[in-house]
Amino acid sequence: NAGVTQTPKFRILKIGQSMTLQCTQDMNHNYMYWYRQDPGMGLKLIYYSVGAGITDKGEVPNGYNVSRSTTEDFPLRLELAAPSQTSVYFCASSSTSGVGNIQYFGAGTRLSVL
Amino acid sequence: EDQVTQSPEALRLQEGESSSLNCSYTVSGLRGLFWYRQDPGKGPEFLFTLYSAGEEKEKERLKATLTKKESFLHITAPKPEDSATYLCAFLTGSARQLTFGSGTQLTVLP
C-alpha cells in the first residue's frame, strides 16, 4: 500500500529557477490537496482539486500552479522560485465515500530556495 | 473569521505523567474536528475525527473530546514513543479542506 507518494524528498533551488513537485496516490481518491508547512506553523492550503480537470486556489496560491490530468497525479509547479517559498510541501488525498473527510498525507518535499 | 488555536506550543512530560493538549476553535458551523500526529520528517497521520459536542474517541493512550468551543487530546500515562507534534484542524469548504492549528510539540522523557 503506497498511499500518497511525493517526489523529490529534498531539493535546493536557486532564486528564479523553476521546478515541479510530484504527487501521486493509488487509493482512487477524488480529492487532492497541496499544503506548505513553515517551521513551527500549521499547514496552509495552496491548491486543491476535486477531480481530474478541476482545480482551485487555497489560502496561499501565489507563486504556484497546479494541474490535474488524471485521478492519480496532482503536480505542483513553482515558477521563478523565491526565498519565501522555502518550506516543506505536503500532498494529501481524500475520498468522497466511505469514512469521508480523512486526508492521507505524503511524506513531504523539503525545499530550500537560496 | 474561522480560526483554530492550539496550546501549549510545546509540552515536556515524564513518562507516565498524564496531561492534555488544547485546541480552541471559532468556526461558524463545525463540520468536523480532526486530530493528526506528525513525527519529525514525516507527513501528518490521522488520529481522530469528532463531529459534535460531547463526542469522545479513544485510541490506546489517547482520548479526544469535543465541546462547542474546544477539543482536548488527553494523553494517559504517556510513553517516549508518544513524542510527536499533535495537530488539530477543522473541516471547511465545499472540497472538504482542512484548516490547521500550529500544533503542540510533545516530548515524553523516559
Side-chain angles (χ1 to χ4, degrees):
Chain A
N1 289 340
V4 179
T5 302
Q6 293 184 237
T7 58
K9 294 188 186 302
F10 304 93
R11 184 72 184 268
I12 297 174
L13 284 182
K14 294 183 178 179
I15 294 172
Q17 287 185 321
S18 300
M19 76 165 293
T20 299
L21 283 66
Q22 302 291 345
C23 174
T24 187
Q25 53 92 8
D26 63 358
M27 298 175 281
N28 199 34
H29 286 169
N30 287 332
Y31 291 1
M32 296 189 73
Y33 311 84
W34 274 106
Y35 295 88
R36 61 175 286 171
Q37 185 177 35
D38 298 322
M41 305 292 288
L43 286 74
K44 293 190 181 298
L45 184 65
I46 305 172
Y47 269 96
Y48 62 93
S49 169
V50 300
I54 306 170
T55 63
D56 208 345
K57 296 177 180 179
E59 183 182 358
V60 289
N62 291 346
Y64 307 94
N65 278 299
V66 293
S67 59
R68 184 99 180 267
S69 57
T70 67
T71 298
E72 294 78 19
D73 300 306
F74 189 39
L76 178 71
R77 178 81 176 165
L78 278 70
E79 305 281 2
L80 300 174
S84 60
Q85 294 177 305
T86 294
S87 189
V88 182
Y89 293 84
F90 290 101
C91 178
S93 70
S94 68
S95 173
T96 55
S97 62
V99 182
N101 305 320
I102 297 173
Q103 291 188 18
Y104 298 89
F105 286 80
T109 295
R110 284 145 188 82
L111 175 66
S112 294
V113 181
L114 304 175
Chain B
E1 179 183 351
D2 294 343
Q3 59 182 358
V4 57
T5 303
Q6 291 189 247
S7 62
E9 292 184 5
L11 181 63
R12 292 166 66 94
L13 299 173
Q14 290 296 132
E15 184 173 2
E17 180 186 3
S18 301
S19 188
S20 297
L21 312 182
N22 177 264
C23 172
S24 298
Y25 63 89
T26 305
V27 178
S28 52
L30 183 70
R31 295 166 55 202
L33 190 291
F34 293 72
W35 283 96
Y36 280 82
R37 170 188 171 129
Q38 186 175 23
D39 292 300
K42 296 188 177 182
E45 179 184 349
F46 172 77
L47 291 173
F48 304 108
T49 310
L50 302 166
Y51 290 103
S52 58
E55 189 175 0
E56 298 183 353
K57 289 191 177 175
E58 289 189 64
K59 180 180 179 181
E60 296 181 352
R61 295 176 292 282
L62 300 177
K63 183 169 80 173
T65 62
L66 183 66
T67 73
K68 289 186 178 180
K69 295 183 178 180
E70 295 176 304
S71 179
F72 294 92
L73 186 65
H74 306 279
I75 303 176
T76 302
K79 298 181 178 181
E81 52 262 43
D82 295 322
S83 297
T85 296
Y86 291 86
L87 299 165
C88 75
F90 62 82
L91 195 67
T92 186
S94 59
R96 310 177 185 184
Q97 303 96 306
L98 290 175
T99 298
F100 282 87
S102 56
T104 293
Q105 184 176 2
L106 174 67
T107 303
V108 182
L109 303 171

